[in-house]
Amino acid sequence: WARAVRGLLLDVSGVLYDSGADGGVPIAGSAEAVRRIKASGLKLQLCTNETQATREDFVRKLRALGFDVSVAEVTAPAPAACRLLKERGLRPHLLVHDDLIPEFAEVDKTNPNCVVLGDAAENFTYANLNEAFRLLIGMEKPVLISLGKGRYYKETDGLKLDVGAYMKALEYACDVQAEVVGKPAKTFFESALAELGVPPEQAIMIGDDIVSDVGGAQQCGMRALQVRTGKYRPSDENHPEVKPDAYVNNLAEAVDIILQHL
């Protein structure tokens, strides 16, 4: 699986660092692994479902944690959602994290005709979910756009419910199918590959989520590795549908193996 690689897509939370209220903690060896990838000449793109901050703030946080990355190296759901909204003339009601709202500054939000859902964290109150429900149920053709469908993620103080759980609640209540912008959507991985500038058969995705990272990437024709960090659980290795091309203990180990085959 390590041969004929020209570019790497990396998940962020759970691969580079574990997020938390304290800003997060880098996973051992991950910052050096990113440096080694860049020094090797391999192309690098961060492919993240991060929806609690703008890409600019997100990159600032990563740089403060010791990662040499730029905004151009981040593929994230909010900019993709903004393109979709403008293309289709959609005006969103936003149920997202407060820190993500600036990403939607150029989007018309008057008289909403859709709901956009992100990882709103503390904004996932009953009142806010009910407001989104009422808007959707009142639409002739309800449109629910979700910035990912993850079930949970890991922070330094433990596992946290992710946007997918709330997406499923609104789908059930409104009898609507959400449109997912973010992993594991094929279009999202295709966007990341286009920004990476590498065809899928020459790229490897490295993530901690067996379904969103590994399964999504493999559906696009990429090889995909699961790290045993972040949200990884031993039960992932018996997943009935998704089988990674390999398991690695962490990003540093994956990079060691890939660089040996260049």
Side-chain angles (χ1 to χ4, degrees), residues 159-179:
L159 299 176
K160 301 288 180 76
L161 272 180
D162 204 351
V163 63
Y166 302 95
M167 178 194 87
K168 287 294 182 184
L170 289 173
E171 282 186 330
Y172 176 67
C174 302
D175 194 22
V176 63
Q177 182 90 36
E179 299 177 42

Side-chain angles (χ1 to χ4, degrees), residues 70-94:
S70 66
V71 172
E73 291 171 321
V74 177
T75 302
C82 289
R83 288 193 296 273
L84 182 151
L85 294 167
K86 289 179 179 178
E87 285 167 7
R88 290 168 50 183
L90 292 171
R91 302 179 304 278
H93 168 77
L94 298 175

Side-chain angles (χ1 to χ4, degrees), residues 27-39:
I27 292 169
S30 56
E32 178 62 23
V34 169
R35 280 192 287 274
R36 293 178 67 206
I37 292 167
K38 291 193 166 190

Side-chain angles (χ1 to χ4, degrees), residues 220-241:
C220 283
M222 277 184 272
R223 287 161 281 176
L225 312 182
Q226 187 177 17
V227 290
R228 294 187 178 101
T229 56
K231 70 167 70 169
Y232 163 84
R233 298 168 80 191
S235 59
D236 291 344
E237 302 200 21
N238 300 312
H239 195 279
E241 294 165 14

Side-chain angles (χ1 to χ4, degrees), residues 98-149:
D98 288 340
D99 292 343
L100 191 69
I101 289 174
E103 288 273 22
F104 295 88
E106 304 300 315
V107 174
D108 181 5
K109 294 178 280 289
T110 57
N111 189 24
N113 58 2
C114 73
V115 169
V116 171
L117 197 64
D119 180 11
E122 304 305 322
N123 285 344
F124 277 137
T125 62
Y126 174 80
N128 286 345
L129 277 165
N130 200 52
E131 184 182 7
F133 158 74
R134 285 176 168 175
L135 279 166
L136 285 167
I137 205 77
M139 294 174 189
E140 187 178 343
K141 292 184 178 178
V143 177
L144 173 60
I145 295 169
S146 186
L147 305 179
K149 60 184 286 189

Side-chain angles (χ1 to χ4, degrees), residues 190-201:
E190 287 169 347
S191 294
L193 283 168
E195 291 173 354
L196 189 67
V198 169
E201 62 274 10

